[in-house]
Amino acid sequence: MKLGIVGLPNVGKSTLFNSLTKGGAESANYPFCTIDPNIGIVPVPDERLKLLGDFSHSKKVTPATIEFVDIAGLVKGASKGEGLGNQFLANIRECDAIVHVVRCFDDANIVHVDGTVDPKRDIETINLELLFADLEVLDRRIAKVARTAKAGADKNAKKEYDVLKTIHQYLEDGNMCISLELENEDEEEFRKTLDLLTDKPVIYAANVADSDLADDGESNEYVQEVRELAKEQGAEVFVVSAAIEQEIAELDDDEKAEFLADLGVEKSGLDKLIAASYKLLGLMSYLTTGEDETRAWTIPIGCKAPKAAGKIHSDFERGFIKAEVINYQQLLDCGSYAAAKEKGLVRMEGKEYVVRDGDVILFRFNV
């Protein structure tokens, strides 16, 4: 999973990136201090892995990971080259979802690029730049396919042209592509190949002062604005204090838990972001365990056993025979794999089995 972190300059974007990834992106109180997209790969916290690793005496434990891309602060006119221009918009196209950091705190010492704090305006500024960038992409694609489509000999070109024009008009009307419903599956598949910025799911990170963390931003009017907008768009929201995340980034797990408890907070910003990401993208994890390795594998919810096996290796999917499946907690409770088998808790599942979150699976295959 790859998430692109965007936002206006000075909203706490790079501070949040640093704390989430310990990646050391430059962070300062002036616009455009992030010149190149910074990349950080973060393990997904999963307490099930340690339990299974201990259970199997595994030599190594490998969590699922998320790749974060921190992109330079966008400003009004970025799609036309303002600020650092649209060179960074291309980096977002490679991401599965966009994490949009929105400033939801007042601080006279931290300059706002537009002079005042206004989450709705800030969100609209970023969304417009993404929209304008997509329109440019569509204009180029339409120009490229128009002559062939109008000649009429190539039916696929005509279909492509019609879909491109439909999307273009939808965006010109000020809508984000993600809310557009096309007529059939072929059109939807073609739309995915366009990799439009406005077609990516969005998670809003409402960056608040530490005093607003305990009630999850309920008393913060700025956060309420972000939540209302997100509800309209079908987006996710999580409340975070980038400053606090920076403070706890270097703490060990016990110290971190104690620090958060003192603030009246149950989860760190990273935990909230991962939960929001998995929910938004419809993802979950199944597990494999043994003496060599215990590992989490991220797959879409609703994924069938052969496709899940292919996550490990394409041969597993191609030569899939059966899957031995047991819930991780049932396995732990039994004390051993042999005991679980004796109790009939290890099930043999075929090609139509839909994998569940927390399944421990051993795949049988032959190629």
Side-chain angles (χ1 to χ4, degrees), residues 16-60:
L16 182 61
F17 173 84
N18 284 342
S19 57
L20 295 180
T21 66
K22 301 179 187 174
E26 188 179 355
S27 175
N29 181 21
Y30 57 91
F32 309 122
C33 64
T34 313
I35 303 302
D36 295 313
N38 294 279
I39 295 173
I41 296 175
V42 178
V44 175
D46 190 336
E47 61 182 14
R48 300 173 300 188
L49 285 177
K50 184 182 185 312
L51 295 170
L52 282 172
D54 292 343
F55 173 87
S56 299
H57 306 290
S58 302
K59 293 173 187 172
K60 67 174 181 175

Side-chain angles (χ1 to χ4, degrees), residues 52 86 97 100-101 103 126 143 200 213 236 264 274 291 325 344:
L52 282 172
N86 62 4
H100 185 162
V101 183
R103 179 168 166 177
I126 296 290
K200 295 190 181 298
L213 272 182
E236 289 289 319
I274 288 169
E291 284 188 17
V325 183

Side-chain angles (χ1 to χ4, degrees), residues 88-107:
F88 300 107
L89 295 175
N91 295 302
I92 314 174
R93 293 195 190 281
E94 301 167 6
C95 296
D96 299 303
I98 293 172
V99 179
H100 185 162
V101 183
V102 186
R103 179 168 166 177
C104 294
F105 64 90
D106 292 306
D107 188 334

Side-chain angles (χ1 to χ4, degrees), residues 56-84:
S56 299
H57 306 290
S58 302
K59 293 173 187 172
K60 67 174 181 175
V61 173
T62 307
T65 58
I66 294 180
E67 185 173 327
F68 290 104
V69 183
D70 177 31
I71 295 156
L74 298 173
V75 292
K76 193 177 291 185
S79 60
K80 300 294 183 184
E82 291 296 322
L84 287 172

Side-chain angles (χ1 to χ4, degrees), residues 5 46 55 58 120 229 235 254 257 323 346:
I5 303 180
D46 190 336
F55 173 87
S58 302
K120 191 173 181 181
L229 263 176
D254 289 340
V346 179

